[in-house]
Amino acid sequence: MKKDLMILGIESTCDETSAALLKGGKEIVTNVIYSQIEEHKKYHGVVPELASRAHAAKIATVIAEALGDNPLDYVAFASGPGLPGGLMVGRVAAETLANFKKVPILGINHLEGHIFACDFEGTEAKSRLQFPLVALVVSGGHTELWYVEGYGKYKVLGKTRDDAAGEAFDKVAKLLGLAYPGGPQVSKQALLGKRDAIHFPRPLLPGTWEFSFSGIKTAVSYYLRDHQNFSIPDVCASFEQAMVDTLVAKTLGAAKKYKVHHIAVGGGVAANALLRETMQHAAAEAGITVHFVERKLSSDNAAMIALAAYKKLEYAEKTGKPVKKNIDINPNMKVRSWD
Ligand code: KG4
Ligand code: ZN
């Protein structure tokens, strides 16, 4: 592979329009992110139609800004999972650019991007991930546990049966009249409350590596219905504790069961300070190292898509197996091993 291979990544699966340029699989040259939060705020959640329109309106300028006058060798875009409208905008932009510049194109699984993002330290990819590991993908749309044997070798252990963890944070924030996205708002309030004030359930679903967060959210809604004078900080602190206890118990449980010494945590909810602290502490006691994505790259961005593309190309070169282009968009795309 060319030493300074320039990959332009494109991300448009949910409510961020992003394009990034990655040099030699190592250095983020640019990572332009346009967040649509202002468009969705008054609805307390992402409105798919508005998201598609905003992606269509912004993607050309975001790409132009990220690419600038730099050379280009490859285009990579997130082809799923995500909202169909956003995925279509990403594909059309990516294919147009690739055809115009006469460079190859690759579709990337957005969730793989969230885990590869753990490799970055600042703007440098540092190969921090060590295998085998257990990965927790924890975002607004997904909560999944994977056993990862090496780059491109996955086994999905379990997923959420209902709400994703970020979705539960967003829904509880909405119940409390807090702004969207709910995660950071709930965390801010939680700092002022007592974590043991209210007991919300910890759905551990023993015998499975699945999650279920809708029960915690429903317990919060019943608590608010049944109490006239509740304390928002206490509700947030107790809810956050229940979410974090569940995520940590399941992830550590899987890591111990599969006898791995490394855990990777990526996705928007990975920015949560209580999750970071609690997971680090519990893992250290078990002699396990946790690789959290840095906060800046925890939410959706195109640098993680470009890095996943680089790793895929590197893998193809090493193994001599052709890389699958994967450019058909798939809103429900599952993570798959590369072989
Ligand atoms: O990965 P992401 O940017 O988008 C998806 O792929 O879904 O994740 C966004 C989600 C939102 O649900 C947001 O509330 C949540 O991540 N989030 C947090 C925090 N920061 C963002 N949840 C809990 N605590 C946080 N500090
Ligand atoms: Zn995401």
Side-chain angles (χ1 to χ4, degrees):
M1 213 165 13
K2 195 171 154 185
K3 189 169 159 280
D4 285 338
L5 190 84
M6 297 291 258
I7 303 179
L8 184 94
I10 296 175
E11 159 61 41
S12 59
T13 60
C14 188
D15 61 345
E16 265 91 23
T17 316
S18 176
L21 199 57
L22 184 75
K23 186 176 177 179
K26 279 257 167 281
E27 183 201 342
I28 301 176
V29 181
T30 55
N31 190 16
V32 181
I33 304 170
Y34 170 73
S35 166
Q36 305 175 0
I37 283 178
E38 288 308 316
E39 271 102 324
H40 301 292
K41 224 173 191 165
K42 64 172 178 272
Y43 306 101
H44 287 272
V46 178
V47 181
E49 177 63 21
L50 291 183
S52 315
R53 286 167 189 258
H55 285 305
K58 290 286 176 190
I59 202 149
T61 47
V62 165
I63 289 174
E65 199 183 323
L67 186 56
D69 296 327
N70 291 290
L72 179 67
D73 297 306
Y74 233 102
V75 176
F77 75 104
S79 52
L83 297 170
L87 293 174
M88 279 193 266
V89 170
R91 177 181 176 166
V92 171
E95 268 198 296
T96 306
L97 179 67
N99 285 358
F100 180 67
K101 294 277 191 180
K102 299 188 173 50
V103 297
I105 181 171
L106 204 54
I108 294 296
N109 184 309
H110 172 84
L111 302 183
E112 278 185 283
H114 273 307
I115 291 305
F116 284 112
C118 298
D119 249 358
F120 285 118
E121 253 179 62
T123 56
E124 294 273 305
K126 290 266 173 79
S127 298
R128 293 162 75 218
L129 295 179
Q130 291 179 53
F131 305 103
L133 59 81
V134 161
L136 172 67
V137 187
V138 69
S139 72
H142 299 87
T143 301
E144 302 192 359
L145 271 176
W146 306 342
Y147 173 73
V148 188
E149 217 181 294
Y151 282 112
K153 285 196 167 53
Y154 308 104
K155 179 176 170 191
V156 177
L157 303 177
K159 303 179 183 193
T160 181
R161 292 179 180 174
D162 38 59
D163 292 345
E167 191 179 354
F169 271 93
D170 295 339
K171 286 180 175 170
V172 164
K174 187 175 176 182
L175 290 171
L176 292 168
L178 301 173
Y180 175 83
Q185 301 296 327
V186 168
S187 280
K188 209 164 126 191
Q189 290 291 329
L191 292 176
L192 310 167
K194 291 191 286 297
R195 302 211 176 268
D196 58 356
I198 309 153
H199 182 78
F200 293 125
R202 272 82 170 149
L204 294 176
L205 312 182
T208 78
W209 301 115
E210 294 174 356
F211 297 94
S212 169
F213 295 113
S214 70
I216 307 186
K217 173 202 68 193
T218 306
V220 173
S221 77
Y222 287 168
Y223 181 86
L224 301 182
R225 183 195 63 189
D226 297 340
H227 294 80
Q228 298 281 312
N229 295 314
F230 54 81
S231 146
I232 291 183
D234 282 354
V235 173
C236 287
S238 304
F239 163 74
E240 190 179 45
Q241 190 68 57
M243 292 294 295
V244 166
D245 285 351
T246 309
L247 287 166
V248 171
K250 298 286 296 193
T251 308
L252 258 290
K256 287 176 189 164
K257 166 87 185 168
Y258 284 85
K259 297 188 169 56
V260 300
H261 299 294
H262 297 272
I263 289 173
V265 188
V269 183
N272 185 281
L274 184 70
L275 177 65
R276 296 174 87 93
E277 248 168 61
T278 314
M279 185 88 83
Q280 296 284 14
H281 187 76
E285 278 187 349
I288 295 170
T289 308
V290 190
H291 308 276
F292 264 97
V293 61
E294 287 188 346
R295 275 206 182 82
K296 253 183 90 181
L297 292 177
S298 62
S299 53
D300 294 347
N301 67 85
M304 68 187 198
I305 303 300
L307 182 59
Y310 183 86
K311 294 291 181 192
K312 254 184 149 169
L313 294 174
E314 198 177 47
Y315 181 84
E317 193 179 65
K318 267 189 202 148
T319 58
K321 291 178 184 158
V323 58
K324 292 187 192 117
K325 283 175 83 176
N326 202 32
I327 63 169
D328 286 331
I329 64 158
N330 181 354
N332 302 311
M333 187 180 283
K334 315 253 177 306
V335 71
R336 289 234 160 76
S337 291
W338 295 346
D339 289 338

